[in-house]
Amino acid sequence: MKPQLESNINKKPLYWLAALLLMAYTIIVTVVYQQVKNTVIENKLDELNQHILYQKSLRQYINTQLKPVIYNLQKQQIISYDYFDPHLLSATFIARNIYQNFDESLDAKNMHSWKYRLAAKNPLNPINQATPAEIELLNKFNNNHNLKSIYQIETINGEETLYYAAPFNPNNASCLRCHGIPKVAPKGLIERYGSETGFYEKIGDIRAFFSYRLKLSESMAYAHKPFIAISIIIFAFIMIFYAITAWAYLVEQKRKLLVARQQEELEFVAHHDFLTKLKNRHCLSRDFSAQLTEINKATHHYSNLWVIMLDIDFFKAINDDFGHDIGDIALKKFGEILQEEVKNLEHAEAYRLGGEEFLIIIRNTDAKIINALYTDICESFANIEIQGLDRTIQLSAGATEVQLEEHQFDILKRVDKALYQAKEQGRNRLIII
Ligand SMILES: Nc1nc2c(ncn2[C@@H]2O[C@H](COP(=O)(O)OP(=O)(O)OP(=O)(O)O)[C@@H](O)[C@H]2O)c(=O)[nH]1
């Protein structure tokens, strides 16, 4: 049975291609994901800008519209000079509360919101107390007044967040009314927050900053569906490409293997006998020349070369008495016996010269071994069982040892002569000359 062509195809290039495409797919998907993420971030930053503008408008309204009205009422003593209520007079308080309401409304509708926060190192209201990280950022703003904002991606509890922070304007004289010396601060303010913190600020210092934080995973959620769809489409394209390439490769490799196998078969047919599958006369002449060249070099592992010519006795009679088909079977069996015998010998090869004539070339042997070989072959051949053939088949053989610098033609002539002598002397024997 010939092995299946498919199992002989080298599939390594296909595995490499699969690995390469998988790598390319991973890179493409990562790039696409990054692109989607960047787009989400850009959209969110646009949204944030609107928040900032809104917050600034709100603070502007409080500082330029609301507070002057209250101060005017205080001036007219309609409201006491010591009156202070953050609901009316603290822009940070009002902004924080409005944002809190806004956040709660968004959360109730499951809409993802930016979380607004104020942070001060020395706040009146403890709710605005800066964390160590925020204090560090506040110091950064104070050390560099040109730094108008920062935004960065920060991982909080293993979750990516988009963070934006911007400083308030540096303190001016009017700020110090509430953040200077407690003595000059409105009594209402002291009553509410005490005089421990929030005071002794200096003009020019940045007292606080506001920040917004957004969970990126929540914002990315709405981009997941298109991202997965794009990933599936890219995967499908890659799979189709791989399938077509693999199919074309397999077809081409199969074709190449088929051609190679046909060439091998042609080669075999050209050098072997069709019936016995032994090497043929054409092959003998080629092999014999090579062997003679070797022996003439007289290398140490190559002492001598022997040739045995074998011929089945009265083979015509077998054909005539039992039929040509039985004769064919006998020749085939004989070929198998020779093949088996030479397999057990080192450096031996059997050939069919034609008809019922065969030849064996053996290296490194002697007349004793040649005799034993002939006897073995005769015994094996005598013992074969062929249905419809009830005759013991015998063999005649001639053998000779190759001499140095001898020509192939002369050796074959001598061994043929030995065989002829065996026939002449009554067949069923080996003659060595
Ligand atoms: N069945 C079969 N017969 C073959 C084949 N090739 C040659 N022969 C026959 O082998 C026979 C050889 O006959 P001969 O040359 O007269 O030799 P022989 O009958 O063996 O007699 P000796 O060699 O003198 O013992 C012929 O009848 C050929 O037709 C083959 O491939 N198959």
Side-chain angles (χ1 to χ4, degrees), residues 14 25 27 45 79 141 212 227 292 376 404:
L14 291 182
Y25 175 70
I27 292 169
L45 287 176
I79 298 175
F141 284 132
Y212 288 91
F227 170 69
L292 291 175
D376 266 7
L404 279 178

Side-chain angles (χ1 to χ4, degrees), residues 276 278 329-341:
T276 61
L278 289 178
I329 294 171
L331 285 172
K332 224 169 142 185
K333 294 270 182 193
F334 187 60
E336 285 166 13
I337 289 167
L338 291 189
Q339 200 67 277
E340 199 57 37
E341 288 288 343

